[in-house]
């Protein structure tokens, strides 16, 4: 989603801002802009629709100067993708604002500001921030006080950074529902929506908390909580090694991230699972006491993470004997739900900033869940800070908008959670041994599976002219079929639907013809014979099938069915293994179609608006 970068320095900050925006490009956006303020109060702005490079080219054409500056990549929520709607927004050439989030009461603010004589030059909700702050400044207060008064008038979510032309020595920032991180430099300080943006200039960060307003100058950072009290926040040394600009020779981040899966899964298991099972305290101090009392697990997530949660429900009920519910965060947060006794809330999010999931966690605290655990990839993120327990997936920075390695590490985490909860709920010795040994085999098995790439590249050719597709799976492979369909639609824009294959006869069979490829995930498990019957139902109606199958599953290719052998795997890891060919299929189809694989249209990474 939108990205924010800001800087207060002695040097010209334009390159820092542009580099920061480039580092946030992976989040998905539609336009970009920068505003620069010089010590003599000269305020300038350049905005462009399209890529950051187009903004950089426009900047290079003139003389862009400023020791204080703010920059933004916009993912439009209010107002079309046009230059006039791109941030920063100005209020009568004095106040400049960038904003992530949504000001929900923007209509009434707009009416009231218009009646006070303000003219709106954009269709955005964000412009109301600029004029509201301007109006407060008119009463003679300083920028900090103007922002503190203004935020009281905003409903909704914001991470915002504001400059005042009449005070070029500072920016004031405010966070509510959309993350902001301050970067500490030497004689210069920075602000961003994600630490990735600032890694070239600092490794020392302060993560702002909900309701914080902060004033940032070259030498000082003063933070105030939601009640206006001065507060100290911890300075965190970042240990992110990954350089976001590095594709390691791969054509796309997505392909690099697909191929990183054996390594990041290995990292996620390291020092957490040994031959006897889980090592101590892997879900954090106190987790074992909490897990002892857990009688129900409620999982909340969105998108790909939701599919990880769906798979986990099969595992938790089958092996750990714990009842489990799973719900999409944006549904959970707006309906009345019943809290089961001794229920553990588990949230899943790659970024830890997913707005709906975060809101669901906050709601769950009010509803009286006994405890909360997040499975997350970003240390220090909001979900990690606000949950009782956190399990970090160690996938490393995921840049491709379509999630790959975050998903497989989430699934790996859930197998560990299955072991942990199963310990207190009578997991059988046989199941425990099977999960532990299959986890040990997982990184090597993923490597073996990646080796089938060539066959999938060929297969992708057959999808390039298709407009629709159907994915089928059963049991714990049903969510994998859903994830496969999501991947295909995300990056190749081919309409894809997934069904539990037993559901075919209840409707989707009507869709089958030779123009509708049917993709089937078929490990050699106890549901294989049932799945084969479903495959026959498709064949009988002239469907063309692509079956990803265990070599022992006895499928053979013919004119209506193409079989792609997937390495045989033991234990419950099959859903993780079968994810790989479906990721590769989507990738190669998208490649043939020539879509923007890493930043597919209309989508964004780290979905920080609801
Ligand atoms: N509402 C603002 C900012 C949108 C945003 O935060 N997207 O991630 C706009 O539409 O410009």
């Amino acid at each position: 989603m939108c990205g924010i970068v800001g800087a207060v320095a002695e040097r010209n900050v334009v390159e820092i801002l542009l580099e920061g925006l480039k580092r946030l490009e992976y989040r998905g956006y539609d336009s970009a802009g920068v505003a620069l303020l010089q010590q003599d109060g000269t305020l300038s702005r350049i905005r462009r629709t399209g890529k950051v490079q187009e903004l950089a080219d426009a900047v290079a054409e003139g003389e862009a100067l400023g020791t204080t500056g703010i920059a933004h990549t916009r993912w439009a929520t209010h107002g079309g993708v046009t230059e006039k709607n791109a941030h920063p927004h100005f209020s009568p050439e004095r106040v400049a604002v960038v904003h992530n989030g949504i000001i929900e009461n923007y209509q009434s603010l707009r009416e009231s500001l218009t009646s006070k004589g303000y003219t709106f030059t954009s269709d955005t909700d964000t412009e109301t921030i600029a004029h509201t702050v301007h109006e407060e400044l008119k009463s003679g207060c300083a920028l900090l006080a103007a922002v503190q008064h203004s935020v009281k008038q905003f409903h909704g979510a914001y991470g915002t950074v504001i400059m005042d032309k009449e005070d070029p020595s500072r920016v004031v920032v405010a966070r509510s529902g959309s993350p902001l991180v301050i970067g500490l430099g030497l004689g210069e300080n920075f602000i961003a929506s994600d630490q990735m943006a600032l890694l070239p200039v600092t490794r020392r960060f302060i993560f702002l908390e909900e309701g914080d307003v902060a004033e940032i100058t070259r030498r000082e950072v003063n933070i105030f909580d939601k009640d206006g009290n001065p507060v100290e926040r911890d300075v965190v040394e970042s240990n992110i090694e990954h350089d976001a600009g590095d594709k390691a020779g791969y054509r796309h981040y997505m392909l690099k991230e697909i191929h990183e899966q054996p390594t990041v899964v290995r990292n996620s298991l390291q020092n957490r699972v040994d031959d006897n099972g889980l090592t101590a305290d892997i879900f954090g101090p106190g987790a074992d006491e909490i897990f002892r009392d857990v009688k129900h697990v409620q999982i909340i997530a969105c998108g790909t993470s939701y599919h990880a949660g769906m798979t986990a429900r099969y595992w938790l009920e089958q092996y750990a004997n714990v009842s489990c519910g799973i719900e999409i965060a944006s549904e959970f947060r707006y309906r009345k739900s019943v809290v089961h006794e001794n229920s553990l809330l588990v949230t899943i999010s790659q970024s830890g900033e997913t707005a709906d999931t975060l809101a669901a966690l906050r709601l769950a605290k009010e509803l009286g869940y006994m405890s909360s655990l997040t499975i997350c990839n970003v240390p220090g993120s909001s979900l990690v800070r606000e949950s009782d327990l956190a399990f970090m997936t160690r996938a490393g920075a995921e840049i491709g908008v379509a999630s790959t390695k975050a998903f497989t590490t989430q699934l790996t985490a859930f197998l560990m959670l299955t072991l942990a909860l199963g310990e207190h709920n009578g997991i059988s010795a046989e199941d425990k041994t099977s999960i532990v040994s299959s986890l040990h085999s997982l990184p090597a098995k993923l490597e073996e599976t990646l080796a089938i790439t060539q066959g999938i590249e060929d297969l992708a050719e057959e999808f390039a002219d298709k407009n629709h597709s159907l994915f089928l799976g059963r049991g714990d492979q049903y969510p994998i079929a859903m994830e496969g369909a999501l991947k295909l639609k995300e990056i190749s824009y081919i309409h894809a639907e997934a069904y539990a294959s037993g559901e075919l006869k209840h409707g989707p069979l009507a869709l089958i013809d030779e123009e509708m490829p049917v993709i089937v995930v078929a490990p050699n498990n106890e549901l294989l014979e049932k799945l084969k019957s479903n495959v026959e139902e498709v064949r009988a109606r002239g469907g063309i099938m692509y079956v990803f199958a265990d070599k022992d599953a006895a499928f053979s290719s013919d004119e209506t069915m193409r079989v792609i052998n997937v390495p045989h795997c033991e234990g419950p890891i099959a859903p993780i293994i079968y994810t790989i060919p479906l990721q590769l299929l989507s990738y190669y189809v998208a490649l043939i179609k020539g879509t923007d694989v890493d930043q597919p249209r209309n989508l964004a990474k780290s979905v920080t608006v609801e």
Side-chain angles (χ1 to χ4, degrees), residues 1-2 72 74-79 85 87 89 99-103 124-126 608-609:
M1 295 245 131
C2 308
H72 190 259
R74 174 175 189 246
W75 186 83
T77 66
H78 291 64
N85 287 336
H87 303 206
H89 289 288
H99 163 228
N100 288 355
I102 294 171
I103 303 298
T124 65
D125 52 330
T126 301
T608 50
V609 295

Side-chain angles (χ1 to χ4, degrees), residues 509-522:
L509 268 183
L511 296 170
I512 302 297
D513 64 19
E514 62 285 1
E515 287 308 311
M516 170 76 106
V518 179
I519 298 101
V520 184
V521 272

Side-chain angles (χ1 to χ4, degrees), residues 343-410:
S343 190
L344 173 71
L345 186 94
V346 179
T347 57
I348 324 163
S349 161
Q350 189 283 130
S351 67
E353 303 293 349
T354 312
D356 284 320
T357 311
L358 194 52
L361 169 66
R362 290 177 184 153
L363 171 69
K365 286 185 179 173
E366 287 167 25
L367 293 176
Y369 278 83
M370 68 170 278
S371 193
S372 59
L373 162 71
T374 191
I375 293 177
C376 183
N377 194 37
V378 179
S381 60
S382 300
L383 277 173
V384 170
R385 282 185 281 114
E386 295 186 30
S387 300
D388 300 325
L389 304 170
F391 184 94
M392 305 315 305
T393 44
R394 300 182 188 157
E398 189 179 66
I399 306 292
V401 164
S403 183
T404 52
K405 60 179 181 168
F407 180 64
T408 43
T409 53
Q410 286 166 354

Side-chain angles (χ1 to χ4, degrees), residues 16 56 75 85 88-89 154 158 185 188 192 223 235 255 269 289 305 310 339 394 428 431 444 553:
I16 297 170
W75 186 83
N85 287 336
H89 289 288
F154 303 148
Y158 51 82
E188 53 189 16
I223 306 174
V235 177
L255 189 61
L269 290 166
E289 284 84 80
S305 299
M310 276 188 75
V339 183
R394 300 182 188 157
S428 72
D431 284 341

Side-chain angles (χ1 to χ4, degrees), residues 266-288 291 391 394 415-417 419-421 423-424 432 436 439-440:
R266 189 176 288 116
N267 292 346
S268 300
L269 290 166
Q270 198 167 35
N271 300 328
R272 286 168 163 170
V273 185
D274 62 21
D275 289 346
N276 302 317
L278 300 180
T279 57
D281 283 342
I282 69 166
F283 290 92
D288 208 44
F291 287 174
F391 184 94
R394 300 182 188 157
L415 278 177
M416 290 185 254
L417 184 65
L419 285 172
L421 290 173
E423 252 349 292
H424 301 293
K432 181 176 168 184
V436 170
L439 280 173
H440 284 307

